[in-house]
Amino acid sequence: MCGIVGCVGIDDTRTFLLTGLKLLEYRGYDSAGIAMVINDHTLAHAKSVGYVAALERESYSLPHSGTVGIAHTRWATHGGVNVSNAHPHFDTNRAIAVVHNGIVENHTALRTLLERDGVVFRSETDTEVIAHLIAKFYHGDLCEAVRLAVREIRGTFGIAVVSTHEPGVLIAARMGSPLVLGIGDDFHVIASDVPAILARTQQVVYLNDGEVVRATKDDYQVLSLDKTPLTPEVQSVDQQLDSIERGSFPHYMLKEIYDQPRSLENTMRGRLKPESGDVILGGPRMDIDDILAIERVIFVACGTSLHASMIAKYLFEEFLRIPSEAEHASEFRYRNPIIRRGRDLAVFTSQSGETADTLAAMREVKRKGGRTLGICNVVNSSIAREVESGIYTHAGIEIGVASTKAFTAQVTAMALLMLWMGRVRDLSSFVFTQIIEELCHIPQKIDDILIDTTDVKALAEELVPAKNMLYLGRGYNFPVALEGALKMKEISYIHAEGYPAAEMKHGPIALIDENMPVVVIAPKDRTYAKVMSNIQEIKARKGFVIAVTTEGNTELANVVDRVLYVPSVMDPLQPLLTVVPLQLLAYYVALGRGLSVDKPRNLAKAVTVE
Ligand code: M6R
């Protein structure tokens, strides 16, 4: 959480920083701030609460051009959302400015020590200790002062530092929070994520944990925390700036829902070979013996990625006959999980590749000698880099905080992994070919859902006043119920819960009355008859039932209150279709409630704190 951006050698410093910050807003938007060294001796700054647009207005009086500058968009951890807690934070003399993404776990102890030295704090944040520590260690070398300061910190950080002491110098350091250095002929830029620097350069160095960088306009050096000079790899990113524009769509979320047919084609491109009946995955480093040796697959993730993982559990058990589990990363990492070397495969799924709990769970499995595989969307993200091997989902950048195309791409990538492993194990060529053929038709079927959204929009209008909702599904569609409810609660703030449909009668049915909308995912699949009984139980108690079913199923229209139709596909792939109207429903309800769809309250896109 939190986005940071910094630059040295850029003429229009202020515009560069604010533009970059807007592209990082998905990381947090509680407050924002900017600091620039002006005329080589003054540290000018502006801060505001809320979106970067507010900072843009607030910083209007700042000069356009500074020698160096840093900026920050905050997702609050320590200290309330107000101007004094907004970054940058300064040392006592306001000669050093720091922006920080992460958590200083030992900030209380450090604060006490600094206060004993006479430091008076201006904010409640953990970050401010970093600025004062740098000042304490500054004896004519800013990079050295930062290096010594961060060695005192326990926790995570991605920081950028500027100072009037060294007006042409930008320092950054990383431990657990992503940072990328952008390289130009006569400038250098730093940011939490690539989009913020793409307008200027595609030549980048991804900093590793425990690295400090000192950049001037013409040069940069990377050091380890013990001061060893390093030779980092310069990479060329092939992301284009237009991939992060939302075109004619009013919100990123809607654009990303509509991206799904093409993003799924990208997930499958070059991997699915229907002609030869092959699945080619270059990522996973497992030979035939490794695949045959696997006795258990543990899918570990958070949020939407966990819901995709739950579908993978069903897929792997049904088709590979391998015992599989789907686990909350936050629970898994602290539970001393049993990992059997060579026999357990742990799959870590994350859109951002930066989720703190998923990353930590992956490290725990590696520590115990287990096999790790990542399914990530963001190329070169922390999980992607640290995992033993993996598969990129290639869904394209996802900016809306509510994850949509990442989910369908993850399920598709998991299906590809299942097929790839399956041919080595017990999957028959008949079933293999059938799944491949059905997968190839999914993009067109999503297009068919998206072509006419009249029903879902009309239903959304009815649901705008709702206070609570239930989502029910069975089998492959139980995780879709969880995902539909998560979408609804995170952007519309309607309390929504997902349940296995049959669990209803073990408690939640007590909530049913005419004011409780219940979304039941009821495609004509192997669980349909059972789900129908569950629907009847709700109708008997006057519940308002919305069914998502397959086209051609006319029976439901006479039983439930509203029906949304999706094309038919084999049961295991049905979630790739049933989830789409639920994404749209959440979107249009949030819109109807006048809410900030892409930046829902209290949330951030990448959860880099535990
Ligand atoms: O980047 P990740 O996939 O690891 O993120 C996991 C969750 O934080 C994320 O899916 C979250 O639940 C979304 N906001 C849901 O829409």
Side-chain angles (χ1 to χ4, degrees), residues 70-119:
I70 52 176
H72 185 271
T73 179
R74 179 172 187 238
W75 187 84
T77 56
H78 294 69
V81 177
N82 55 42
V83 169
S84 25
N85 289 334
H87 298 216
H89 291 285
F90 302 92
D91 70 323
T92 304
N93 299 327
R94 291 194 184 275
I96 295 167
V98 179
V99 289
H100 169 221
N101 169 28
I103 290 184
V104 181
E105 285 169 5
N106 56 339
H107 74 102
T108 311
L110 291 171
R111 196 177 176 114
T112 308
L113 287 176
L114 287 160
E115 279 171 342
R116 262 186 225 146
D117 290 348
V119 171

Side-chain angles (χ1 to χ4, degrees), residues 22-23 25 241-256 258-259 397 399-400 405 587 598-599:
K22 281 185 187 157
L23 292 165
E25 239 180 346
L241 203 53
D242 58 5
S243 69
I244 48 184
E245 282 161 4
R246 61 182 155 75
S248 56
F249 288 95
H251 296 98
Y252 279 108
M253 182 181 177
L254 191 64
K255 172 190 179 283
E256 287 156 7
Y258 275 81
D259 275 350
I397 184 165
I399 292 180
K405 64 176 177 176
Y587 172 79
D598 283 334
K599 294 173 202 154

Side-chain angles (χ1 to χ4, degrees), residues 301-306 349-355 358 383 398 400-404 406 410 483 486-487 490 603-607:
C302 302
T304 290
S305 300
L306 177 63
T349 301
S350 173
Q351 188 286 130
S352 62
E354 302 293 346
T355 300
T358 312
I383 294 174
E398 192 182 66
V401 166
S403 205
T404 52
Q410 287 165 350
E483 179 60 7
L486 177 61
K487 290 297 86 102
E490 71 176 329
L603 287 169
K605 181 81 183 150
V607 184

Side-chain angles (χ1 to χ4, degrees), residues 228-482:
T228 310
L230 303 168
T231 315
E233 183 192 355
V234 179
Q235 303 186 34
S236 195
V237 286
D238 76 354
Q239 203 172 327
Q240 302 299 325
L241 203 53
D242 58 5
S243 69
I244 48 184
E245 282 161 4
R246 61 182 155 75
S248 56
F249 288 95
H251 296 98
Y252 279 108
M253 182 181 177
L254 191 64
K255 172 190 179 283
E256 287 156 7
I257 292 172
Y258 275 81
D259 275 350
Q260 290 178 110
R262 305 296 82 78
S263 60
L264 293 198
E265 283 169 0
N266 289 337
T267 308
M268 295 187 273
R269 178 161 298 120
R271 291 168 165 173
L272 261 193
K273 304 278 176 198
E275 333 71 59
S276 57
D278 262 337
V279 168
I280 297 169
L281 291 181
R285 277 197 287 277
M286 284 188 286
D287 62 22
I288 291 178
D289 290 338
D290 294 331
I291 296 174
L292 289 175
I294 292 167
E295 291 174 11
R296 182 173 66 141
V297 183
I298 313 158
F299 294 92
V300 184
C302 302
T304 290
S305 300
L306 177 63
H307 300 154
S309 302
M310 293 170 75
I311 294 169
K313 166 192 158 68
Y314 284 64
L315 272 174
F316 274 58
E317 291 198 336
E318 175 168 357
F319 294 106
L320 302 191
R321 310 301 299 148
I322 306 181
S324 304
E325 292 154 24
E327 300 252 14
H328 290 98
S330 53
E331 290 297 314
F332 177 86
R333 62 178 288 200
Y334 284 119
R335 215 210 23 242
N336 196 13
I338 298 164
I339 302 296
R340 297 161 313 163
R341 192 180 283 263
R343 292 153 68 195
D344 290 334
L345 171 67
V347 180
F348 299 90
T349 301
S350 173
Q351 188 286 130
S352 62
E354 302 293 346
T355 300
D357 284 319
T358 312
L359 184 59
M362 189 263 291
R363 289 177 178 155
E364 183 67 10
V365 172
K366 279 178 96 173
R367 203 170 292 127
K368 291 177 185 297
R371 303 217 67 144
T372 60
L373 193 134
I375 297 181
C376 296
N377 193 37
V378 177
V379 174
N380 256 309
S381 51
S382 299
I383 294 174
R385 287 193 296 157
E386 286 189 37
V387 83
E388 193 184 332
S389 65
I391 304 172
Y392 281 121
T393 47
H394 297 312
I397 184 165
E398 192 182 66
I399 292 180
V401 166
S403 205
T404 52
K405 64 176 177 176
F407 174 80
T408 44
Q410 287 165 350
V411 173
T412 304
M414 289 159 173
L416 296 183
L417 179 64
M418 181 279 288
L419 291 167
W420 183 76
M421 290 171 64
R423 287 301 279 135
V424 177
R425 297 181 65 116
D426 289 337
L427 193 65
S428 74
S429 67
F430 174 76
V431 177
F432 180 86
T433 310
Q434 190 194 2
I435 298 175
I436 288 190
E437 277 169 9
E438 296 250 22
L439 266 176
C440 290
H441 291 122
I442 294 286
Q444 181 56 52
K445 289 181 176 181
I446 298 181
D447 270 330
D448 293 346
I449 299 173
L450 295 173
I451 212 149
D452 181 3
T453 55
T454 321
D455 288 354
V456 85
K457 282 179 188 155
L459 174 62
E461 267 179 46
E462 293 183 77
L463 292 177
V464 163
K467 292 205 163 34
N468 299 288
M469 286 180 73
L470 283 175
Y471 285 70
L472 306 178
R474 287 180 94 120
Y476 283 102
N477 281 299
F478 162 50
V480 178
L482 295 176

